[in-house]
Amino acid sequence: MPTQAPSESAKPGEEGGFRIPDAGVFVSDYNKQIFKATRMPERVKILDTTLRDGEQTPNVALSVDDKLKIAQALDELGVDIIEAGFAVNSEGEAEAVKRIAGAGLKSEVCSLCRASTQDIDAALACDVDSVHIFLATSKVHLEKKLKITQQEAVEKAVASVLYAKQHGLVAEFSCEDATRTELSFLRVVHKAVTDAGVDRIDVPDTVGVMTPQAMMQFVSEIKKDAKVPLAVHCHDDFGMSVANSLAGVLGGAEEVHVTVNGLGERAGNAALEEVVMGLQAFYGLKTRINTRKMAFVSRLVSQLTGVAVQPNKAIVGENAFSHEAGIHVHGVLSESSTYEPMRPEIVGKERTLVVGKHSGVHAVQNKLKEYGLDLNPDQMKEVVTRIKKYAESGKKLDDAELLAVAYDVMGQEVEPAIRLEEFTVFTGLNFTPTATVVLNIDGEVRRASETGVGPIDASVSAIRTAVSKNIVLRQFRLEAITGGSNALCEVTVKLGDCEDEQLLALGKSVGSDIVTTSVDAMIEGLNRLWVHKLRSNGDKTKRKAY
Ligand code: KIV
Ligand code: ZN
């Protein structure tokens, strides 16, 4: 195995950090020490098990179509091996595995199998490229769960690998609960499956009970006798799955099992995005993953599984590249690496500067500029003072409140140019939602009717038709503020203009009816967009923006 020397390609920084050229990361110099001590693979393979271990997340069940969508996204992401499911589990599972195997993906498509010919036959019927055979080997699993002897376990393992190989499959083998199996017995099983022709051996930390130091040591012991490439499969019961996966690679593993967003049984598996960025940033190790697509895949998986990504999740969380504290915002605006160890765009994210209690002038100024507002220094000071007070009162501060404060300070909350005169919407079962609006636009009455997928969609379309098709709804957020069927809701819309990328405006409204509240938010946003548009036109004689 070649010795990887990323330290040679890494340029030392002045402050004890180093950049990995073109990788967009700037991490601690101390990580370099490890390169000298360790032999590592040139490229690490990624086996993604979102569709198998990830689907074992409590309350997650994906349809066949959704699984196919995720598999296609994983393929485009550059995953080497997709564990598409556990074919023998059910007809639906087998159908998903078969559709994925037949989808012409570049990734190797694999099915999980117990050490049984029945499971391997089910995988064969799906035309997969490979099987991931597992059999528990720890004392507790053998005695209490499988109720077989070690000798019987070895025989089952060997028979299953022989069967898979006789049928032309690539075979990966896992001793389930390997990290609680005596090393001497693990060696026996590994040798036996290797002699039977296994292609890869995986080392699962099934219940996430290792420390990184132990994992590195453990894998390097296994590596001493290994004749085939090793993988690691780490669970997150103690929050160590990513650290243990990286440690497994330091110990000699060439493949890592991961899931998108760290989904998986109980506390989940090692998160794909964290493992991939960790390998690259700390050790300069390459994978085939196109890191720029990671945020997209994370969102897709979250949407289809219904499992939200925690805001402070590393790499793909909403806050991963958000800055609020004044000192941080100032730093990031002068040089992003002051408070960002990697550039957001390399993982498909964008930097956001959040205005809140800890904000200073730089953040507020920057945010207001996004909406085309330029305030003088006294006005800025006043805005900052007011928003701090607002945030300290415990209220949630977002761009809409910030803009309202700024308009107020600038004395620019002008008479609205657009007023809603009439609004009707019809919706029901087997009926296409249809909305009609009558707007008074700076003295001119305009009427429009539109249909949509729901009453809100129809209403938004009707308003756009009445005002201008150039108007783009860039963001729509609907949140319930209170509970119950009579809950108060809050709607925020972000509006743009397709002819002018720079134009942006927010509208926000609170009410008990989600449709009329959405319409109110649209009208507020449009009035602000109107003012921006007139101002950006610079033509004082024009009174109409749309
Ligand atoms: O966590 C585990 O041990 C597994 C096996 C099936 C490899 O998921
Ligand atoms: Zn697992």
Side-chain angles (χ1 to χ4, degrees), residues 52-53 112 132 134 174 176 204 206 233 235:
R52 198 277 299 170
D53 225 334
L112 183 73
H132 171 199
F134 74 101
S174 283
E176 190 188 15
T206 301
H233 175 112
H235 278 270

Side-chain angles (χ1 to χ4, degrees), residues 11 26 39 49-50 59 101 134 149 213 277 289 322 360 373 384 388 509 518 524 539:
K11 298 264 182 301
F26 187 34
R39 289 161 62 83
T49 180
T50 305
N59 302 319
F134 74 101
T149 63
Q213 294 81 355
M277 288 315 294
I289 300 296
S322 293
L373 298 188
V384 173
K388 276 184 190 270
S509 184
S518 304
E524 183 178 270
D539 180 355

Side-chain angles (χ1 to χ4, degrees), residues 34 47 67 103 109 138 162 224 271 275 282 379 435 441 464 509:
I34 210 84
L47 179 149
K67 283 190 177 184
V109 177
S138 64
L162 283 174
K224 283 182 188 160
V275 166
F282 302 138
Q379 289 172 326
I441 301 179
R464 283 182 60 230
S509 184

Side-chain angles (χ1 to χ4, degrees), residues 210-227:
M210 294 295 266
T211 62
Q213 294 81 355
M215 193 70 184
M216 178 174 164
Q217 175 70 21
F218 185 60
V219 176
S220 50
E221 277 302 319
I222 295 169
K223 184 80 183 168
K224 283 182 188 160
D225 318 306
K227 304 273 186 299

